[in-house]
Coordinates of all heavy atoms in Angstrom, one line a residue:
M1 N 1.3 -28.3 -6.5 CA -0.2 -28.2 -6.3 C -0.8 -27.4 -7.5 O -1.9 -27.7 -7.9 CB -0.4 -27.4 -5.0 CG -0.4 -28.3 -3.8 SD -2.1 -28.8 -3.6 CE -1.9 -30.0 -2.3
G2 N -0.2 -26.4 -8.0 CA -0.7 -25.7 -9.2 C -1.6 -24.5 -8.8 O -2.4 -24.1 -9.6
F3 N -1.5 -23.9 -7.6 CA -2.3 -22.8 -7.3 C -1.5 -21.6 -6.9 O -0.3 -21.8 -6.5 CB -3.3 -23.1 -6.2 CG -2.7 -23.5 -4.8 CD1 -2.4 -22.5 -3.9 CD2 -2.4 -24.8 -4.6 CE1 -1.8 -22.8 -2.7 CE2 -1.8 -25.1 -3.4 CZ -1.4 -24.1 -2.5
S4 N -2.1 -20.4 -7.0 CA -1.4 -19.2 -6.7 C -2.0 -18.5 -5.4 O -3.2 -18.7 -5.3 CB -1.4 -18.2 -7.8 OG -0.8 -18.7 -9.0
V5 N -1.2 -17.8 -4.7 CA -1.8 -17.1 -3.5 C -1.8 -15.6 -3.9 O -0.8 -15.0 -4.4 CB -0.8 -17.3 -2.3 CG1 -1.3 -16.4 -1.1 CG2 -0.8 -18.7 -1.9
I6 N -3.0 -14.9 -3.7 CA -3.0 -13.5 -3.8 C -3.4 -13.0 -2.4 O -4.4 -13.5 -1.8 CB -4.1 -13.1 -4.9 CG1 -3.7 -13.7 -6.2 CG2 -4.4 -11.6 -4.9 CD1 -4.7 -13.5 -7.3
T7 N -2.7 -12.0 -1.9 CA -2.9 -11.5 -0.6 C -2.6 -10.0 -0.5 O -2.0 -9.4 -1.3 CB -2.0 -12.3 0.4 OG1 -2.2 -11.8 1.7 CG2 -0.5 -12.0 0.1
K8 N -3.1 -9.4 0.5 CA -2.9 -8.0 0.8 C -1.8 -7.9 1.9 O -1.7 -8.7 2.8 CB -4.2 -7.4 1.4 CG -4.0 -5.9 1.7 CD -5.3 -5.3 2.3 CE -5.2 -3.9 2.7 NZ -6.4 -3.4 3.3
L9 N -0.8 -7.1 1.5 CA 0.4 -6.9 2.4 C 0.3 -5.7 3.3 O -0.4 -4.7 3.0 CB 1.7 -6.9 1.7 CG 2.0 -8.1 0.8 CD1 3.2 -7.9 -0.1 CD2 2.2 -9.3 1.6
R10 N 1.0 -5.8 4.4 CA 1.1 -4.6 5.3 C 2.2 -3.7 4.7 O 3.0 -4.0 3.8 CB 1.6 -5.0 6.6 CG 0.6 -5.8 7.4 CD 1.1 -6.4 8.7 NE 2.1 -5.6 9.4 CZ 2.5 -5.7 10.6 NH1 1.9 -6.6 11.4 NH2 3.5 -4.9 11.1
K11 N 2.1 -2.3 5.1 CA 3.0 -1.3 4.6 C 4.4 -1.5 5.0 O 5.4 -0.9 4.5 CB 2.5 0.0 4.9 CG 1.2 0.3 4.3 CD 0.8 1.7 4.4 CE -0.7 1.8 4.0 NZ -0.9 2.6 2.9
D12 N 4.7 -2.4 6.0 CA 6.1 -2.6 6.5 C 6.6 -4.1 6.1 O 7.5 -4.6 6.7 CB 6.2 -2.5 8.0 CG 5.3 -3.5 8.8 OD1 4.5 -4.1 8.2 OD2 5.4 -3.6 10.0
A13 N 6.0 -4.5 5.0 CA 6.4 -5.9 4.5 C 7.9 -5.9 4.1 O 8.4 -4.9 3.5 CB 5.5 -6.3 3.3
N14 N 8.6 -7.0 4.5 CA 10.0 -7.1 4.1 C 10.2 -7.7 2.8 O 10.2 -8.9 2.6 CB 10.7 -8.0 5.2 CG 12.1 -8.0 5.2 OD1 12.7 -7.2 4.4 ND2 12.8 -8.8 5.9
L15 N 10.3 -6.8 1.8 CA 10.4 -7.2 0.4 C 11.7 -6.6 -0.2 O 12.1 -5.5 0.2 CB 9.2 -6.8 -0.4 CG 7.8 -7.3 0.1 CD1 6.8 -6.7 -0.8 CD2 7.8 -8.8 -0.1
S16 N 12.3 -7.3 -1.2 CA 13.4 -6.8 -1.9 C 13.1 -6.9 -3.4 O 12.5 -7.9 -3.9 CB 14.7 -7.5 -1.6 OG 15.0 -7.4 -0.2
I17 N 13.6 -5.9 -4.1 CA 13.5 -6.0 -5.6 C 14.2 -7.2 -6.1 O 15.4 -7.4 -5.8 CB 14.0 -4.7 -6.2 CG1 13.3 -3.5 -5.8 CG2 14.0 -4.7 -7.8 CD1 11.9 -3.3 -6.1
Y18 N 13.6 -7.9 -7.0 CA 14.2 -9.2 -7.6 C 15.3 -8.8 -8.5 O 15.2 -7.9 -9.4 CB 13.1 -10.0 -8.2 CG 13.6 -11.4 -8.5 CD1 13.7 -12.4 -7.6 CD2 13.9 -11.8 -9.9 CE1 14.1 -13.7 -7.9 CE2 14.3 -13.0 -10.2 CZ 14.4 -13.9 -9.2 OH 14.8 -15.2 -9.5
Y19 N 16.5 -9.5 -8.4 CA 17.6 -9.2 -9.2 C 17.3 -9.8 -10.7 O 17.1 -10.9 -10.9 CB 18.8 -9.8 -8.7 CG 20.1 -9.5 -9.4 CD1 20.6 -8.3 -9.4 CD2 20.7 -10.5 -10.1 CE1 21.8 -8.0 -10.1 CE2 21.9 -10.2 -10.8 CZ 22.4 -8.9 -10.8 OH 23.6 -8.7 -11.5
L20 N 17.4 -8.9 -11.7 CA 17.2 -9.3 -13.0 C 18.4 -9.2 -13.9 O 18.3 -9.4 -15.1 CB 16.1 -8.4 -13.7 CG 14.7 -8.5 -13.0 CD1 13.7 -7.5 -13.6 CD2 14.1 -9.9 -13.1
G21 N 19.5 -8.9 -13.3 CA 20.8 -8.7 -14.0 C 21.4 -10.1 -14.4 O 20.9 -11.2 -14.1
K22 N 22.5 -10.0 -15.1 CA 23.2 -11.2 -15.5 C 24.0 -11.9 -14.3 O 24.3 -11.2 -13.3 CB 24.3 -10.8 -16.5 CG 23.8 -10.4 -17.8 CD 25.0 -10.1 -18.7 CE 24.5 -9.6 -20.1 NZ 25.7 -9.3 -21.0
K23 N 24.2 -13.1 -14.4 CA 25.0 -13.8 -13.4 C 26.4 -13.5 -13.5 O 26.9 -13.3 -14.6 CB 24.8 -15.4 -13.5 CG 23.4 -15.8 -13.2 CD 23.3 -17.3 -13.2 CE 21.9 -17.7 -12.9 NZ 21.7 -19.2 -12.8
T24 N 27.1 -13.4 -12.4 CA 28.5 -12.9 -12.4 C 29.5 -14.0 -12.9 O 30.6 -13.6 -13.4 CB 29.0 -12.4 -11.1 OG1 28.9 -13.5 -10.2 CG2 28.1 -11.3 -10.6
G25 N 29.2 -15.3 -12.8 CA 30.1 -16.3 -13.2 C 31.0 -16.7 -12.0 O 31.8 -17.6 -12.2
K26 N 30.9 -16.0 -10.9 CA 31.8 -16.3 -9.8 C 31.2 -17.5 -9.0 O 30.0 -17.9 -9.1 CB 31.8 -15.1 -8.8 CG 32.5 -13.9 -9.4 CD 32.5 -12.8 -8.4 CE 33.2 -11.5 -9.1 NZ 33.2 -10.4 -8.1
L27 N 32.0 -18.1 -8.2 CA 31.6 -19.2 -7.3 C 30.6 -18.7 -6.2 O 30.7 -17.5 -5.8 CB 32.7 -19.9 -6.7 CG 33.7 -20.6 -7.6 CD1 34.9 -21.2 -6.9 CD2 33.0 -21.8 -8.4
G28 N 29.8 -19.6 -5.7 CA 28.9 -19.2 -4.6 C 27.4 -19.1 -5.1 O 27.1 -19.3 -6.3
T29 N 26.6 -18.7 -4.1 CA 25.2 -18.5 -4.4 C 24.9 -17.3 -5.3 O 25.5 -16.3 -5.0 CB 24.4 -18.3 -3.0 OG1 24.8 -19.4 -2.2 CG2 22.9 -18.3 -3.3
P30 N 24.1 -17.5 -6.4 CA 23.9 -16.3 -7.2 C 23.0 -15.3 -6.5 O 22.3 -15.6 -5.5 CB 23.1 -16.9 -8.3 CG 22.6 -18.2 -7.9 CD 23.5 -18.7 -6.8
T31 N 23.1 -14.0 -7.0 CA 22.3 -13.0 -6.4 C 20.8 -13.2 -6.6 O 20.4 -13.4 -7.7 CB 22.7 -11.6 -7.0 OG1 24.2 -11.4 -6.8 CG2 22.0 -10.4 -6.3
I32 N 20.0 -13.1 -5.5 CA 18.6 -13.3 -5.6 C 17.9 -12.0 -5.7 O 17.0 -11.8 -6.4 CB 18.1 -14.1 -4.4 CG1 18.7 -15.5 -4.4 CG2 16.6 -14.3 -4.4 CD1 18.4 -16.3 -3.2
Y33 N 18.3 -11.0 -4.8 CA 17.5 -9.7 -4.8 C 18.5 -8.5 -4.9 O 19.7 -8.7 -4.6 CB 16.7 -9.6 -3.6 CG 17.3 -9.9 -2.3 CD1 18.0 -8.9 -1.6 CD2 17.3 -11.2 -1.7 CE1 18.7 -9.2 -0.4 CE2 18.0 -11.4 -0.5 CZ 18.6 -10.4 0.1 OH 19.2 -10.7 1.3
D34 N 18.0 -7.4 -5.4 CA 18.9 -6.2 -5.7 C 19.0 -5.4 -4.4 O 20.0 -5.2 -3.9 CB 18.3 -5.5 -6.8 CG 19.2 -4.5 -7.5 OD1 20.4 -4.4 -7.0 OD2 18.8 -3.7 -8.3
H35 N 17.9 -4.7 -4.0 CA 17.8 -3.9 -2.8 C 16.5 -3.9 -2.2 O 15.5 -4.3 -2.8 CB 18.2 -2.4 -3.2 CG 17.3 -1.8 -4.2 ND1 17.5 -2.0 -5.5 CD2 16.2 -1.0 -4.1 CE1 16.5 -1.3 -6.2 NE2 15.7 -0.8 -5.3
K36 N 16.4 -3.5 -1.0 CA 15.1 -3.5 -0.2 C 14.2 -2.4 -0.8 O 14.6 -1.4 -1.2 CB 15.4 -3.2 1.3 CG 14.3 -3.6 2.1 CD 14.6 -3.6 3.6 CE 13.4 -3.9 4.4 NZ 13.7 -4.1 5.8
V37 N 12.8 -2.8 -0.7 CA 11.8 -1.9 -1.2 C 11.6 -0.7 -0.3 O 11.5 -0.9 0.9 CB 10.5 -2.6 -1.4 CG1 9.4 -1.7 -1.7 CG2 10.6 -3.8 -2.4
N38 N 11.7 0.5 -0.9 CA 11.4 1.7 -0.2 C 10.0 2.2 -0.6 O 9.8 2.6 -1.7 CB 12.5 2.8 -0.4 CG 12.2 4.1 0.3 OD1 11.3 4.2 1.0 ND2 13.1 5.1 0.1
W39 N 9.0 2.0 0.4 CA 7.6 2.3 0.0 C 7.4 3.8 -0.3 O 6.4 4.1 -0.9 CB 6.7 1.8 1.1 CG 6.8 0.3 1.2 CD1 7.3 -0.4 2.2 CD2 6.3 -0.7 0.3 NE1 7.3 -1.8 2.0 CE2 6.6 -2.0 0.8 CE3 5.7 -0.6 -1.0 CZ2 6.3 -3.1 0.1 CZ3 5.4 -1.8 -1.6 CH2 5.7 -3.0 -1.1
N40 N 8.3 4.7 0.2 CA 8.1 6.1 -0.1 C 8.7 6.5 -1.4 O 8.5 7.7 -1.9 CB 8.7 6.9 1.0 CG 8.1 6.6 2.4 OD1 6.9 6.5 2.4 ND2 8.8 6.6 3.4
N41 N 9.5 5.7 -2.1 CA 10.1 6.0 -3.3 C 9.9 4.8 -4.3 O 10.7 3.9 -4.3 CB 11.6 6.2 -3.1 CG 12.3 6.7 -4.3 OD1 11.8 7.0 -5.3 ND2 13.6 6.7 -4.3
L42 N 8.9 4.9 -5.2 CA 8.7 3.9 -6.1 C 9.1 4.2 -7.6 O 8.5 3.9 -8.5 CB 7.1 3.6 -6.1 CG 6.5 3.1 -4.8 CD1 5.1 3.0 -4.9 CD2 7.1 1.8 -4.3
T43 N 10.3 4.8 -7.6 CA 10.8 5.3 -8.9 C 11.2 4.1 -9.9 O 11.2 4.2 -11.1 CB 11.9 6.3 -8.7 OG1 13.0 5.7 -8.0 CG2 11.5 7.6 -8.2
D44 N 11.7 3.0 -9.2 CA 12.1 1.9 -10.0 C 11.0 0.8 -10.3 O 11.2 -0.2 -10.7 CB 13.3 1.2 -9.4 CG 13.1 0.9 -7.9 OD1 12.1 1.2 -7.4 OD2 14.0 0.1 -7.4
W45 N 9.7 1.2 -10.0 CA 8.6 0.4 -10.3 C 7.9 0.8 -11.6 O 8.3 1.9 -12.2 CB 7.6 0.6 -9.2 CG 8.0 0.0 -7.9 CD1 9.2 0.2 -7.2 CD2 7.4 -1.0 -7.2 NE1 9.2 -0.5 -6.1 CE2 8.2 -1.3 -6.0 CE3 6.2 -1.8 -7.3 CZ2 7.8 -2.3 -5.1 CZ3 5.8 -2.6 -6.4 CH2 6.7 -2.9 -5.3
F46 N 7.1 0.0 -12.2 CA 6.4 0.3 -13.5 C 5.1 0.9 -13.3 O 4.1 0.2 -12.7 CB 6.3 -1.0 -14.2 CG 7.6 -1.7 -14.4 CD1 7.9 -2.8 -13.7 CD2 8.5 -1.3 -15.4 CE1 9.2 -3.5 -13.8 CE2 9.7 -1.9 -15.6 CZ 10.0 -3.0 -14.8
P47 N 4.9 2.2 -13.6 CA 3.7 2.9 -13.3 C 2.7 2.8 -14.4 O 3.0 2.7 -15.6 CB 4.1 4.4 -13.1 CG 5.3 4.5 -14.1 CD 5.9 3.1 -14.0
E48 N 1.3 2.9 -14.0 CA 0.3 3.0 -14.9 C -0.7 4.0 -14.2 O -1.0 4.0 -13.1 CB -0.6 1.7 -15.0 CG 0.3 0.6 -15.7 CD -0.6 -0.7 -15.8 OE1 -1.8 -0.6 -15.8 OE2 0.0 -1.7 -15.9
E49 N -1.2 4.9 -15.1 CA -2.2 5.9 -14.5 C -3.6 5.6 -15.0 O -3.8 5.3 -16.2 CB -1.8 7.3 -15.0 CG -2.7 8.4 -14.3 CD -2.1 9.8 -14.7 OE1 -1.0 10.0 -15.2 OE2 -2.8 10.8 -14.3
H50 N -4.5 5.7 -14.1 CA -5.9 5.5 -14.4 C -6.7 6.7 -13.9 O -6.1 7.7 -13.3 CB -6.4 4.2 -13.7 CG -5.8 3.0 -14.3 ND1 -6.3 2.4 -15.4 CD2 -4.8 2.2 -13.9 CE1 -5.5 1.3 -15.7 NE2 -4.6 1.2 -14.7
E51 N -8.0 6.7 -14.1 CA -8.8 7.9 -13.8 C -8.8 8.2 -12.3 O -8.7 9.3 -11.9 CB -10.2 7.7 -14.3 CG -11.1 9.0 -14.2 CD -12.4 8.7 -14.8 OE1 -12.5 8.1 -15.9 OE2 -13.4 9.1 -14.2
K52 N -8.9 7.2 -11.4 CA -9.1 7.4 -10.0 C -7.9 6.9 -9.2 O -7.9 7.1 -8.0 CB -10.3 6.7 -9.5 CG -11.6 7.2 -10.1 CD -12.8 6.5 -9.5 CE -14.1 7.0 -10.2 NZ -15.2 6.4 -9.6
Y53 N -6.9 6.3 -9.8 CA -5.8 5.8 -9.0 C -4.5 5.6 -9.9 O -4.6 5.6 -11.1 CB -6.1 4.5 -8.4 CG -6.8 3.5 -9.3 CD1 -6.0 2.6 -10.1 CD2 -8.2 3.3 -9.4 CE1 -6.7 1.8 -11.0 CE2 -8.8 2.5 -10.3 CZ -8.0 1.7 -11.0 OH -8.6 0.7 -11.9
Y54 N -3.4 5.4 -9.3 CA -2.1 5.1 -9.9 C -1.8 3.6 -9.5 O -2.1 3.2 -8.4 CB -0.9 5.9 -9.5 CG -1.1 7.4 -9.8 CD1 -1.5 8.3 -8.8 CD2 -0.8 7.8 -11.0 CE1 -1.6 9.7 -9.1 CE2 -0.9 9.1 -11.4 CZ -1.3 10.1 -10.4 OH -1.4 11.4 -10.7
I55 N -1.2 2.9 -10.5 CA -0.8 1.5 -10.1 C 0.7 1.3 -10.4 O 1.2 1.8 -11.5 CB -1.6 0.5 -11.1 CG1 -3.0 0.4 -10.7 CG2 -1.0 -0.9 -10.9 CD1 -3.9 -0.5 -11.6
Y56 N 1.4 0.9 -9.4 CA 2.8 0.6 -9.5 C 3.0 -0.9 -9.3 O 2.5 -1.5 -8.4 CB 3.6 1.4 -8.5 CG 3.4 2.9 -8.5 CD1 2.5 3.5 -7.7 CD2 4.2 3.6 -9.3 CE1 2.3 4.9 -7.8 CE2 4.0 5.0 -9.4 CZ 3.1 5.6 -8.6 OH 2.9 7.0 -8.7
S57 N 3.7 -1.5 -10.3 CA 3.9 -3.0 -10.1 C 5.4 -3.3 -10.4 O 6.2 -2.6 -11.0 CB 3.1 -3.7 -11.2 OG 3.5 -3.4 -12.5
N58 N 5.8 -4.4 -9.7 CA 7.2 -4.9 -9.9 C 7.3 -6.3 -9.4 O 6.4 -6.8 -8.6 CB 8.2 -4.0 -9.1 CG 9.5 -4.0 -9.6 OD1 9.9 -4.9 -10.4 ND2 10.3 -3.0 -9.3
I59 N 8.3 -7.0 -9.8 CA 8.6 -8.3 -9.3 C 9.6 -8.2 -8.1 O 10.6 -7.6 -8.3 CB 9.1 -9.3 -10.5 CG1 8.1 -9.4 -11.5 CG2 9.5 -10.7 -9.9 CD1 8.5 -10.2 -12.7
V60 N 9.2 -8.8 -7.0 CA 10.0 -8.7 -5.8 C 10.2 -10.1 -5.2 O 9.6 -11.1 -5.6 CB 9.3 -7.8 -4.7 CG1 9.1 -6.4 -5.3 CG2 8.1 -8.4 -4.2
Y61 N 11.2 -10.1 -4.3 CA 11.5 -11.3 -3.6 C 11.0 -11.2 -2.2 O 11.4 -10.3 -1.5 CB 13.0 -11.6 -3.6 CG 13.4 -12.9 -2.9 CD1 13.2 -14.1 -3.6 CD2 13.8 -12.9 -1.6 CE1 13.5 -15.3 -2.9 CE2 14.2 -14.1 -1.0 CZ 14.0 -15.3 -1.6 OH 14.3 -16.4 -1.0
G62 N 10.0 -12.0 -1.8 CA 9.4 -11.9 -0.5 C 10.3 -12.8 0.5 O 10.2 -14.1 0.3
K63 N 10.9 -12.2 1.4 CA 11.8 -13.0 2.3 C 10.9 -13.9 3.2 O 11.3 -15.1 3.5 CB 12.6 -12.1 3.1 CG 13.7 -11.4 2.3 CD 14.6 -10.6 3.2 CE 15.6 -9.9 2.3 NZ 16.5 -9.1 3.1
G64 N 9.7 -13.5 3.6 CA 8.9 -14.3 4.4 C 8.3 -15.5 3.6 O 8.1 -16.6 4.1
F65 N 8.0 -15.2 2.3 CA 7.5 -16.3 1.5 C 8.6 -17.2 0.8 O 8.3 -18.2 0.3 CB 6.6 -15.7 0.4 CG 5.4 -15.0 0.8 CD1 5.5 -13.6 1.1 CD2 4.2 -15.6 1.0 CE1 4.3 -12.9 1.6 CE2 3.1 -15.0 1.4 CZ 3.1 -13.6 1.7
K66 N 9.8 -16.7 0.8 CA 11.0 -17.3 0.2 C 10.7 -17.6 -1.3 O 11.0 -18.7 -1.7 CB 11.3 -18.6 1.0 CG 11.8 -18.3 2.4 CD 12.3 -19.5 3.1 CE 12.7 -19.1 4.5 NZ 12.9 -20.3 5.3
R67 N 10.2 -16.7 -2.0 CA 10.0 -16.9 -3.4 C 9.8 -15.5 -4.1 O 9.5 -14.5 -3.3 CB 8.8 -17.7 -3.7 CG 7.5 -17.1 -3.2 CD 6.3 -18.0 -3.4 NE 6.4 -19.3 -2.7 CZ 6.3 -20.5 -3.3 NH1 5.9 -20.6 -4.5 NH2 6.5 -21.6 -2.6
K68 N 9.9 -15.4 -5.4 CA 9.5 -14.2 -6.1 C 8.1 -14.0 -6.3 O 7.4 -15.0 -6.4 CB 10.4 -14.0 -7.3 CG 10.1 -14.9 -8.5 CD 10.9 -14.5 -9.7 CE 10.8 -15.5 -10.8 NZ 11.6 -15.1 -11.9
M69 N 7.6 -12.8 -6.2 CA 6.2 -12.5 -6.3 C 6.0 -11.2 -7.1 O 6.9 -10.4 -7.3 CB 5.6 -12.3 -4.9 CG 5.9 -13.3 -3.9 SD 5.2 -13.0 -2.3 CE 5.4 -11.3 -2.0
K70 N 4.8 -11.0 -7.6 CA 4.4 -9.8 -8.3 C 3.6 -9.0 -7.3 O 2.7 -9.4 -6.6 CB 3.5 -10.1 -9.5 CG 3.0 -8.8 -10.1 CD 3.1 -8.9 -11.6 CE 3.0 -7.6 -12.3 NZ 2.9 -7.8 -13.7
V71 N 4.2 -7.8 -7.1 CA 3.5 -6.9 -6.1 C 2.9 -5.6 -6.9 O 3.6 -5.1 -7.7 CB 4.5 -6.4 -5.0 CG1 3.9 -5.3 -4.1 CG2 4.9 -7.6 -4.1
V72 N 1.7 -5.3 -6.5 CA 1.0 -4.1 -7.1 C 0.7 -3.2 -6.0 O 0.1 -3.6 -5.0 CB -0.2 -4.6 -7.9 CG1 -1.0 -3.4 -8.4 CG2 0.1 -5.5 -9.0
V73 N 1.0 -1.9 -6.1 CA 0.7 -0.9 -5.2 C -0.4 0.0 -5.9 O -0.1 0.6 -6.9 CB 1.9 0.0 -4.8 CG1 1.4 1.1 -3.8 CG2 3.0 -0.8 -4.2
V74 N -1.6 0.1 -5.3 CA -2.7 0.9 -5.8 C -2.7 2.2 -5.0 O -3.0 2.1 -3.7 CB -4.0 0.2 -5.8 CG1 -5.1 1.1 -6.4 CG2 -3.9 -1.1 -6.5
D75 N -2.4 3.3 -5.6 CA -2.3 4.6 -4.9 C -3.5 5.4 -5.4 O -3.6 5.8 -6.5 CB -1.0 5.3 -5.2 CG -0.7 6.5 -4.3 OD1 -1.4 6.6 -3.3 OD2 0.2 7.2 -4.6
F76 N -4.4 5.7 -4.5 CA -5.7 6.4 -4.8 C -5.4 7.9 -4.9 O -4.7 8.5 -4.1 CB -6.8 6.1 -3.8 CG -7.2 4.7 -3.8 CD1 -6.7 3.8 -2.8 CD2 -8.0 4.1 -4.7 CE1 -7.1 2.5 -2.7 CE2 -8.3 2.8 -4.8 CZ -7.9 2.0 -3.8
K77 N -5.9 8.6 -6.0 CA -5.7 10.0 -6.2 C -6.6 10.8 -5.2 O -6.0 11.6 -4.5 CB -6.1 10.4 -7.6 CG -5.2 9.9 -8.6 CD -5.7 10.3 -10.0 CE -4.8 9.8 -11.1 NZ -5.2 10.2 -12.4
K78 N -7.8 10.5 -5.1 CA -8.7 11.3 -4.2 C -8.8 10.6 -2.9 O -9.1 9.4 -2.8 CB -10.1 11.4 -4.8 CG -11.0 12.3 -4.1 CD -12.4 12.4 -4.8 CE -13.2 13.4 -4.1 NZ -14.5 13.5 -4.7
G79 N -8.6 11.3 -1.8 CA -8.6 10.7 -0.5 C -7.3 10.1 0.0 O -7.2 9.7 1.1
G80 N -6.3 10.0 -0.9 CA -5.1 9.4 -0.5 C -5.2 7.9 -0.2 O -6.1 7.2 -0.6
G81 N -4.2 7.4 0.5 CA -4.2 6.0 0.9 C -3.7 5.2 -0.2 O -3.7 5.5 -1.4
S82 N -3.3 3.9 0.1 CA -2.8 3.0 -0.8 C -3.0 1.6 -0.3 O -3.2 1.4 0.9 CB -1.3 3.2 -1.2 OG -0.6 3.0 0.0
V83 N -3.0 0.7 -1.3 CA -3.2 -0.8 -0.9 C -2.0 -1.5 -1.6 O -1.7 -1.3 -2.8 CB -4.5 -1.2 -1.5 CG1 -4.7 -2.8 -1.2 CG2 -5.7 -0.5 -0.9
I84 N -1.4 -2.5 -0.9 CA -0.4 -3.3 -1.5 C -0.9 -4.7 -1.6 O -1.3 -5.4 -0.6 CB 0.8 -3.3 -0.5 CG1 1.3 -1.9 -0.3 CG2 2.0 -4.1 -1.1 CD1 2.3 -1.7 0.8
I85 N -0.9 -5.2 -2.8 CA -1.4 -6.6 -3.2 C -0.2 -7.4 -3.8 O 0.5 -6.9 -4.6 CB -2.6 -6.5 -4.2 CG1 -3.7 -5.6 -3.5 CG2 -3.1 -7.8 -4.4 CD1 -4.8 -5.3 -4.6
A86 N -0.1 -8.6 -3.3 CA 0.9 -9.5 -3.8 C 0.3 -10.8 -4.4 O -0.7 -11.3 -3.9 CB 1.9 -9.9 -2.7
S87 N 1.0 -11.4 -5.4 CA 0.7 -12.7 -5.9 C 1.9 -13.5 -6.1 O 2.9 -13.0 -6.5 CB -0.1 -12.5 -7.3 OG -0.3 -13.7 -7.9
T88 N 1.8 -14.8 -5.8 CA 2.9 -15.7 -6.1 C 3.1 -16.1 -7.5 O 4.1 -16.5 -8.0 CB 2.8 -17.0 -5.2 OG1 1.5 -17.6 -5.5 CG2 2.9 -16.7 -3.8
N89 N 2.0 -15.7 -8.3 CA 2.1 -15.9 -9.8 C 2.6 -14.6 -10.3 O 1.8 -13.7 -10.6 CB 0.7 -16.3 -10.4 CG 0.8 -16.6 -11.9 OD1 1.8 -16.4 -12.5 ND2 -0.3 -17.0 -12.4
Y90 N 3.9 -14.4 -10.6 CA 4.5 -13.2 -11.0 C 4.2 -12.9 -12.5 O 4.6 -11.8 -13.0 CB 6.0 -13.2 -10.7 CG 6.7 -14.3 -11.2 CD1 7.3 -14.4 -12.4 CD2 6.9 -15.4 -10.4 CE1 7.9 -15.4 -12.9 CE2 7.6 -16.5 -10.8 CZ 8.2 -16.5 -12.0 OH 8.9 -17.6 -12.5
E91 N 3.5 -13.8 -13.3 CA 3.2 -13.6 -14.6 C 1.8 -12.9 -14.8 O 1.5 -12.7 -16.0 CB 3.4 -14.9 -15.4 CG 4.8 -15.4 -15.4 CD 4.9 -16.8 -16.0 OE1 3.9 -17.4 -16.3 OE2 6.1 -17.2 -16.2
L92 N 1.1 -12.7 -13.8 CA -0.2 -12.1 -13.9 C -0.2 -10.6 -14.4 O 0.8 -10.0 -14.1 CB -0.9 -12.1 -12.5 CG -1.5 -13.4 -12.0 CD1 -2.1 -13.2 -10.6 CD2 -2.6 -13.9 -12.9
S93 N -1.1 -10.2 -15.1 CA -1.3 -8.9 -15.6 C -1.8 -8.0 -14.4 O -2.5 -8.5 -13.5 CB -2.2 -8.8 -16.7 OG -2.6 -7.5 -17.0
T94 N -1.5 -6.7 -14.4 CA -2.0 -5.8 -13.4 C -3.4 -5.4 -13.7 O -4.0 -4.7 -12.9 CB -1.1 -4.5 -13.4 OG1 -1.1 -3.9 -14.6 CG2 0.3 -4.9 -12.9
K95 N -4.0 -5.7 -14.8 CA -5.4 -5.4 -15.1 C -6.2 -6.3 -14.5 O -7.0 -6.8 -14.1 CB -5.6 -5.3 -16.6 CG -4.7 -4.2 -17.2 CD -4.8 -4.1 -18.7 CE -3.9 -3.1 -19.1 NZ -3.9 -2.7 -20.5

C-alpha cells in the first residue's frame, strides 16, 4: 500500500528492543528482538534534550503489530508526564 501508521501507545505496550547484532550462523529462526522494553529505565535509548522536554527514541519490535517500529518517548520537564508515540516507518526523524 505504501503508507505508514503513526499512533499513540499505552504505557503498558508489549514492545521489545529490535535486535541489531550479527546473525549467529546457526540453524533456525534468526533473533528478532533483544529484550523487553522497561519504561522506567530508558538507558539504552537515544536521548535528545530540548527546552521543555526530553525525547528518547529507539527501534523496537511491536509484538502486536508483528513488525519493527520507531518509538519516541516524550518526557515533559515541567509538570511531569510522558507520551509514547510509535510509527511503522522506522526511518522517520524524531524532529
Side-chain angles (χ1 to χ4, degrees):
M1 277 268 170
F3 63 90
S4 300
V5 175
I6 298 176
T7 185
K8 182 178 174 183
L9 297 177
R10 292 172 31 161
K11 295 185 192 246
D12 62 349
N14 189 10
L15 302 173
S16 299
I17 301 294
Y18 192 75
Y19 182 73
L20 298 174
K22 292 183 181 179
K23 293 185 178 182
T24 61
K26 296 180 182 178
L27 294 176
T29 307
T31 303
I32 297 173
Y33 51 87
D34 195 5
H35 60 276
K36 194 167 177 170
V37 172
N38 180 4
W39 296 110
N40 297 323
N41 184 10
L42 299 175
T43 56
D44 53 351
W45 290 58
F46 303 102
E48 293 179 26
E49 185 173 354
H50 294 276
E51 189 175 315
K52 296 183 180 182
Y53 48 85
Y54 296 102
I55 293 179
Y56 301 95
S57 63
N58 208 342
I59 297 176
V60 301
Y61 182 79
K63 291 185 181 180
F65 293 94
K66 294 184 181 171
R67 64 182 60 230
K68 67 179 176 177
M69 309 182 319
K70 178 140 191 178
V71 173
V72 176
V73 178
V74 181
D75 191 15
F76 298 101
K77 292 180 182 179
K78 187 175 182 180
S82 60
V83 178
I84 304 169
I85 303 168
S87 172
T88 55
N89 184 355
Y90 52 87
E91 296 174 350
L92 283 177
S93 170
T94 57
K95 298 179 181 186

